[in-house]
Short mmCIF file of all heavy atoms in Angstrom, two decimals:
data_model
loop_
_atom_site.label_atom_id
_atom_site.label_comp_id
_atom_site.label_asym_id
_atom_site.label_seq_id
_atom_site.Cartn_x
_atom_site.Cartn_y
_atom_site.Cartn_z
N THR P 1 99.04 96.61 139.22
CA THR P 1 98.93 96.91 137.82
C THR P 1 97.47 97.34 137.53
O THR P 1 97.17 98.24 136.75
CB THR P 1 99.36 95.74 136.93
OG1 THR P 1 100.64 95.35 137.26
CG2 THR P 1 99.26 96.13 135.47
N GLN P 2 96.55 96.61 138.13
CA GLN P 2 95.14 96.87 137.89
C GLN P 2 94.65 98.20 138.43
O GLN P 2 93.76 98.80 137.92
CB GLN P 2 94.31 95.70 138.45
CG GLN P 2 94.62 94.39 137.78
CD GLN P 2 94.47 94.42 136.29
OE1 GLN P 2 93.53 94.98 135.75
NE2 GLN P 2 95.42 93.79 135.61
N THR P 3 95.33 98.69 139.48
CA THR P 3 94.97 100.03 140.02
C THR P 3 95.45 101.09 139.03
O THR P 3 94.77 102.15 138.85
CB THR P 3 95.62 100.23 141.39
OG1 THR P 3 95.25 99.17 142.27
CG2 THR P 3 95.14 101.55 141.99
N ILE P 4 96.57 100.88 138.35
CA ILE P 4 97.04 101.80 137.33
C ILE P 4 96.01 101.85 136.20
O ILE P 4 95.64 102.93 135.70
CB ILE P 4 98.44 101.40 136.82
CG1 ILE P 4 99.46 101.36 137.95
CG2 ILE P 4 98.88 102.37 135.72
CD1 ILE P 4 100.80 100.86 137.55
N LEU P 5 95.50 100.69 135.80
CA LEU P 5 94.46 100.64 134.73
C LEU P 5 93.19 101.31 135.25
O LEU P 5 92.49 102.02 134.47
CB LEU P 5 94.14 99.20 134.37
CG LEU P 5 95.14 98.51 133.44
CD1 LEU P 5 94.84 97.04 133.36
CD2 LEU P 5 95.11 99.16 132.05
N LEU P 6 92.91 101.19 136.53
CA LEU P 6 91.75 101.82 137.12
C LEU P 6 91.83 103.34 137.00
O LEU P 6 90.85 104.00 136.59
CB LEU P 6 91.61 101.41 138.59
CG LEU P 6 90.32 101.82 139.32
CD1 LEU P 6 89.09 101.16 138.71
CD2 LEU P 6 90.45 101.51 140.78
N ILE P 7 93.00 103.91 137.25
CA ILE P 7 93.18 105.34 137.11
C ILE P 7 92.94 105.77 135.66
O ILE P 7 92.31 106.79 135.36
CB ILE P 7 94.58 105.75 137.58
CG1 ILE P 7 94.63 105.80 139.14
CG2 ILE P 7 94.98 107.12 137.04
CD1 ILE P 7 95.88 106.36 139.73
N ALA P 8 93.45 104.97 134.71
CA ALA P 8 93.24 105.23 133.31
C ALA P 8 91.73 105.30 132.96
O ALA P 8 91.31 106.12 132.19
CB ALA P 8 93.95 104.21 132.44
N SER P 9 90.97 104.32 133.49
CA SER P 9 89.52 104.30 133.20
C SER P 9 88.83 105.53 133.78
O SER P 9 87.84 106.00 133.15
CB SER P 9 88.92 103.03 133.76
OG SER P 9 88.76 103.06 135.15
N HIS P 10 89.28 106.03 134.91
CA HIS P 10 88.69 107.23 135.52
C HIS P 10 89.10 108.50 134.75
O HIS P 10 88.28 109.44 134.67
CB HIS P 10 89.04 107.36 136.97
CG HIS P 10 88.30 106.43 137.88
ND1 HIS P 10 86.98 106.64 138.26
CD2 HIS P 10 88.65 105.21 138.44
CE1 HIS P 10 86.56 105.66 139.02
NE2 HIS P 10 87.58 104.78 139.17
N LEU P 11 90.28 108.53 134.28
CA LEU P 11 90.74 109.64 133.53
C LEU P 11 90.02 109.80 132.19
O LEU P 11 89.79 110.91 131.72
CB LEU P 11 92.29 109.58 133.27
CG LEU P 11 93.23 109.88 134.43
CD1 LEU P 11 94.60 109.44 134.08
CD2 LEU P 11 93.22 111.36 134.72
N ALA P 12 89.73 108.68 131.55
CA ALA P 12 89.25 108.71 130.20
C ALA P 12 87.76 109.15 130.12
O ALA P 12 86.91 108.70 130.84
CB ALA P 12 89.37 107.29 129.57
N PRO P 13 87.44 110.08 129.17
CA PRO P 13 86.04 110.44 128.92
C PRO P 13 85.36 109.20 128.29
O PRO P 13 85.98 108.40 127.59
CB PRO P 13 86.15 111.61 127.95
CG PRO P 13 87.50 111.45 127.30
CD PRO P 13 88.39 110.85 128.31
N GLU P 14 84.06 109.10 128.50
CA GLU P 14 83.26 107.99 128.07
C GLU P 14 83.48 107.68 126.56
O GLU P 14 83.67 106.55 126.15
CB GLU P 14 81.78 108.19 128.36
CG GLU P 14 80.83 107.15 127.73
CD GLU P 14 81.07 105.76 128.34
OE1 GLU P 14 81.57 105.67 129.46
OE2 GLU P 14 80.77 104.79 127.63
N LYS P 15 83.44 108.71 125.73
CA LYS P 15 83.50 108.46 124.31
C LYS P 15 84.88 108.00 123.81
O LYS P 15 84.99 107.52 122.68
CB LYS P 15 83.10 109.74 123.54
CG LYS P 15 84.11 110.93 123.76
CD LYS P 15 83.62 112.15 123.02
CE LYS P 15 84.56 113.33 123.22
NZ LYS P 15 84.12 114.58 122.52
N ARG P 16 85.91 108.14 124.65
CA ARG P 16 87.26 107.67 124.28
C ARG P 16 87.82 106.62 125.19
O ARG P 16 88.97 106.28 125.11
CB ARG P 16 88.22 108.87 124.22
CG ARG P 16 87.98 109.89 123.13
CD ARG P 16 89.10 110.90 123.08
NE ARG P 16 90.35 110.26 122.80
CZ ARG P 16 91.52 110.65 123.35
NH1 ARG P 16 91.60 111.64 124.21
NH2 ARG P 16 92.63 110.04 122.99
N ARG P 17 86.95 106.11 126.07
CA ARG P 17 87.46 105.16 127.08
C ARG P 17 88.05 103.90 126.49
O ARG P 17 89.15 103.43 126.90
CB ARG P 17 86.34 104.79 128.06
CG ARG P 17 86.81 103.92 129.26
CD ARG P 17 85.78 103.85 130.32
NE ARG P 17 85.70 105.17 131.00
CZ ARG P 17 84.61 105.67 131.47
NH1 ARG P 17 83.43 105.00 131.39
NH2 ARG P 17 84.58 106.88 132.08
N GLY P 18 87.41 103.30 125.51
CA GLY P 18 87.95 102.15 124.87
C GLY P 18 89.29 102.40 124.21
O GLY P 18 90.25 101.61 124.33
N GLU P 19 89.45 103.54 123.54
CA GLU P 19 90.68 103.92 122.88
C GLU P 19 91.83 104.09 123.86
O GLU P 19 92.90 103.55 123.68
CB GLU P 19 90.50 105.19 122.10
CG GLU P 19 91.74 105.72 121.42
CD GLU P 19 91.57 107.11 120.81
OE1 GLU P 19 90.41 107.61 120.80
OE2 GLU P 19 92.61 107.73 120.47
N ILE P 20 91.55 104.81 124.97
CA ILE P 20 92.60 105.08 125.95
C ILE P 20 92.96 103.85 126.70
O ILE P 20 94.18 103.55 126.94
CB ILE P 20 92.14 106.22 126.91
CG1 ILE P 20 92.12 107.56 126.13
CG2 ILE P 20 93.10 106.30 128.14
CD1 ILE P 20 91.53 108.71 126.93
N ILE P 21 91.99 103.03 127.07
CA ILE P 21 92.28 101.77 127.74
C ILE P 21 93.06 100.87 126.80
O ILE P 21 94.03 100.17 127.21
CB ILE P 21 90.96 101.07 128.17
CG1 ILE P 21 90.34 101.85 129.33
CG2 ILE P 21 91.28 99.62 128.64
CD1 ILE P 21 88.98 101.30 129.70
N GLY P 22 92.72 100.90 125.51
CA GLY P 22 93.49 100.10 124.49
C GLY P 22 94.94 100.54 124.44
O GLY P 22 95.85 99.66 124.35
N LYS P 23 95.21 101.82 124.51
CA LYS P 23 96.57 102.33 124.46
C LYS P 23 97.34 101.88 125.72
O LYS P 23 98.53 101.46 125.64
CB LYS P 23 96.62 103.82 124.33
CG LYS P 23 96.16 104.32 122.98
CD LYS P 23 96.14 105.80 122.85
CE LYS P 23 95.75 106.27 121.45
NZ LYS P 23 95.71 107.75 121.34
N VAL P 24 96.71 102.00 126.92
CA VAL P 24 97.41 101.59 128.10
C VAL P 24 97.56 100.06 128.09
O VAL P 24 98.63 99.51 128.50
CB VAL P 24 96.62 102.00 129.38
CG1 VAL P 24 97.26 101.50 130.63
CG2 VAL P 24 96.52 103.57 129.42
N MET P 25 96.59 99.38 127.59
CA MET P 25 96.69 97.91 127.49
C MET P 25 97.84 97.50 126.52
O MET P 25 98.39 96.44 126.68
CB MET P 25 95.38 97.29 127.04
CG MET P 25 94.34 97.25 128.13
SD MET P 25 94.81 96.25 129.52
CE MET P 25 95.07 94.70 128.78
N SER P 26 98.10 98.30 125.51
CA SER P 26 99.23 98.04 124.59
C SER P 26 100.50 97.93 125.36
O SER P 26 101.36 97.06 125.18
CB SER P 26 99.30 99.08 123.54
OG SER P 26 98.20 99.03 122.64
N GLY P 27 100.66 98.89 126.32
CA GLY P 27 101.86 98.89 127.15
C GLY P 27 101.89 97.58 128.03
O GLY P 27 102.92 96.94 128.18
N LEU P 28 100.73 97.26 128.65
CA LEU P 28 100.68 96.10 129.47
C LEU P 28 100.96 94.82 128.67
O LEU P 28 101.74 93.97 129.10
CB LEU P 28 99.27 96.04 130.11
CG LEU P 28 99.02 94.86 131.08
CD1 LEU P 28 98.10 95.30 132.22
CD2 LEU P 28 98.41 93.67 130.38
N LEU P 29 100.34 94.70 127.51
CA LEU P 29 100.53 93.51 126.72
C LEU P 29 101.93 93.43 126.13
O LEU P 29 102.47 92.33 126.00
CB LEU P 29 99.49 93.50 125.60
CG LEU P 29 98.04 93.32 126.07
CD1 LEU P 29 97.04 93.68 125.01
CD2 LEU P 29 97.81 91.89 126.59
N LEU P 30 102.52 94.58 125.80
CA LEU P 30 103.89 94.60 125.32
C LEU P 30 104.84 94.12 126.39
O LEU P 30 105.78 93.39 126.19
CB LEU P 30 104.29 96.02 124.86
CG LEU P 30 105.63 96.12 124.07
CD1 LEU P 30 105.59 95.26 122.78
CD2 LEU P 30 105.93 97.54 123.70
N GLY P 31 104.50 94.52 127.69
CA GLY P 31 105.33 94.02 128.81
C GLY P 31 105.21 92.54 128.97
O GLY P 31 106.22 91.87 129.18
N ILE P 32 103.99 91.98 128.77
CA ILE P 32 103.85 90.55 128.83
C ILE P 32 104.61 89.86 127.76
O ILE P 32 105.35 88.84 127.96
CB ILE P 32 102.32 90.15 128.75
CG1 ILE P 32 101.59 90.66 129.97
CG2 ILE P 32 102.15 88.66 128.62
CD1 ILE P 32 100.10 90.48 129.90
N LEU P 33 104.47 90.35 126.49
CA LEU P 33 105.07 89.70 125.32
C LEU P 33 106.62 89.83 125.33
O LEU P 33 107.30 88.83 124.99
CB LEU P 33 104.53 90.32 124.07
CG LEU P 33 103.06 90.13 123.77
CD1 LEU P 33 102.61 90.94 122.58
CD2 LEU P 33 102.75 88.64 123.57
#
């Protein structure tokens, strides 16, 4: 799972990295919940 997040961090431009990681993390956290 962390490698999938790693790809997301590489894809994301610096100015939107937090936003894009947050969106992917929403999926991860929804899976947990």
Side-chain angles (χ1 to χ4, degrees):
T1 304
Q2 298 305 316
T3 307
I4 301 176
L5 281 171
L6 186 66
I7 282 186
S9 75
H10 283 284
L11 283 168
E14 173 63 26
K15 64 182 180 181
R16 292 188 61 216
R17 184 165 291 146
E19 177 190 350
I20 290 174
I21 290 173
K23 289 179 178 178
V24 177
M25 285 300 300
S26 291
L28 183 145
L29 293 166
L30 191 60
I32 294 174
L33 294 173

